[in-house]
Amino acid sequence: MTRRLCAALFLLPLLFCALGVQAQSTAILSNKDRHHAVHAANGMVASQEARATKVGVEVLRQGGNAIDAAVAVGFTLAVTLPRAGNLGGGGFMLLHHAASAETLALDYREKAPAKAHRDLYLDSAGNVDKARARFSHQSVGVPGTVAGLIAAHRRFGTLPLAAVMAPAIVLAEQGLTVTPSLARNLGRRQRRLSKWPASAAIFYKPGGALYQAGETLVQKDLAASLRRIAATAGEDFYTGDTARAITGSMARNGGLITLADLAAYRPVWRQAVRGSYRGFQIAAMPPPSSGGVHLIQMLNMLEQFPLAKMGHNGADSLHLMAEAMKLAYADRAEHLGDPDFWSVPIKGLTSKAYARSLAASIDPDQARASAQIRHGAPAPYESNETTHYSVMDGAGNVVSNTYTLNFSFGTGIVVPGTGILLNNEMDDFSAKPGVPNAFGLVGGEANAIQGGKRPLSSMTPTIVFKDGQPLLATGSPGGSRIITMVMQILLNVIDHNLNIAEATAAPRIHHQWRPDKLWVEQGVGPDTLAILRRRGHVVTPSRAAGSVQSVMRVAKGGGFLGASDPRSPGALSAGY
Ligand code: GLY
């Protein structure tokens, strides 16, 4: 069968699906009670936006595999969750392909344009110019999302690309019903978006009035961009009309991205970083994300302690977790950067022996001040507005994908004529050693700005295996907190035997070495907090953070469980 005929055959039900997702679907299971995971027999999708989840489920139902569904969800979120879903950003996809038994990491992180340089954001006094680093055309990294999603589809997809992208195109073209969450977020970010006429024209009514929940948001230019991408398998974005629109906008506004930068962009297939935890095997994202390395490093440290016996979110276990977090984030600041430019000691940082030495330095009764912690010496190398989704299919394929524009709506800049929002991922570089980025993260030489380099990330798409079989796919947005969130999901499931929905809802903590603060969400008891304070922790109340989206295979009895974080309204786990 030709690709064109396939596309025609598959397109029809998916188009109906795109229209159908406007209404509440009753044909699929959904997790109305978030503390009970959704169960489904054949496949499951968990994402931060319900319509995107439904598109993914429909792709599975039409015979697509988890990779087809993941690519469809990725393109759909660019339409339905514009604050984080994207074409103009980048991310990381971890996938397990059942037939070839391969687990691979696809790095489609943005790259610094060739003209970028170490002191790009320093003003004449040597201080970091935050506005230029975060909200200007110079903040934009060369986007990787389109190339990444297409690369995943090309290698492992089974449905035609046109079919997989059709629902996103329909939702952009015909408009989508504004949800309360979208209305609220557009209201919150009006200043950022309205600075740019092309952005204001799409996301606000004439005169700047806000869209209300229940009204329809149409994104015609975005639909046309998606069509060009579908017709050219992504070429248009990097060398065609879209590329020229992006570089034209750069040239008019002092941006750095050139046609040569776009044409040179390639996603990279990398080996997943591997570890184990109490008999479970972990596959996670390697650099330029710091996520996988430090997830495994922290788990290795915590494996030295009987966390299950200490109890879920008891003072002893929270103390140890916080100490492990500090040690890991101190190493992050020193050792992590783009592996194509910097020798990251992955093996050393993830070795059990190194973790044992770090764990031995933890005082079980007393917090160590961050000022007393320095990065370690592992064996030499041999936004907060990101979004994550997880997909599993009945054949055993798994996708765990986190991608982002960095901040909510990125720079806020839409490229005129394209409907495409641009990232501000350049702020994830260390603009000046020791000066924190928007997430309070510090860094040095390893993550210094350089043309063609990828900024360090914390995104942590993860797959957990048991006896070689995929068991759990999980991940979250949350900037610097992503790594510790994912770690707590794993501890909650493996050590504390919580079901995946309870594991997701449970209150979380976070420490990132600097600043020396232990952030604690609501729900940890005051007596526990008092013990932590007595041990020297600078306990700091935290707003609810993250949007963990997980799918878990039911080892006994078959089928899948899905859980969407109750912290973010509008998310949905669903299967069929
Ligand atoms: N932009 C957030 C991250 O990549 O970690």
Side-chain angles (χ1 to χ4, degrees), residues 109 332 383 386 404 406 425 428 439 456-459 479 482:
R109 180 74 159 166
R332 183 191 190 279
S383 198
T386 298
T404 191
N406 198 23
E425 221 68 60
D428 275 349
F439 299 106
L456 185 59
S457 172
S458 299
M459 290 188 270
I482 297 174

Side-chain angles (χ1 to χ4, degrees), residues 22-61:
Q22 299 282 14
Q24 277 303 312
S25 167
T26 50
I28 55 178
L29 307 164
S30 69
N31 54 338
K32 293 205 171 55
D33 179 350
R34 306 278 179 163
H35 293 271
H36 294 97
V38 187
H39 181 260
N42 301 307
M44 177 72 73
V45 179
S47 94
Q48 202 177 331
E49 207 285 327
R51 287 164 294 200
T53 292
K54 291 175 186 175
V55 164
V57 172
E58 197 53 36
V59 169
L60 293 177
R61 200 202 296 275

Side-chain angles (χ1 to χ4, degrees), residues 294-316:
H294 296 303
L295 172 69
I296 289 166
Q297 184 189 14
M298 291 187 291
L299 290 172
N300 284 342
M301 283 186 246
L302 293 170
E303 207 174 31
Q304 309 305 313
F305 304 99
L307 292 191
K309 258 197 215 150
M310 292 172 176
H312 179 245
N313 280 357
D316 287 341

Side-chain angles (χ1 to χ4, degrees), residues 3-29:
R3 271 182 106 77
R4 202 179 282 265
L5 181 56
C6 287
L9 287 177
F10 283 110
L11 222 56
L12 215 54
L14 289 169
L15 290 179
F16 282 127
C17 151
L19 295 169
V21 296
Q22 299 282 14
Q24 277 303 312
S25 167
T26 50
I28 55 178
L29 307 164

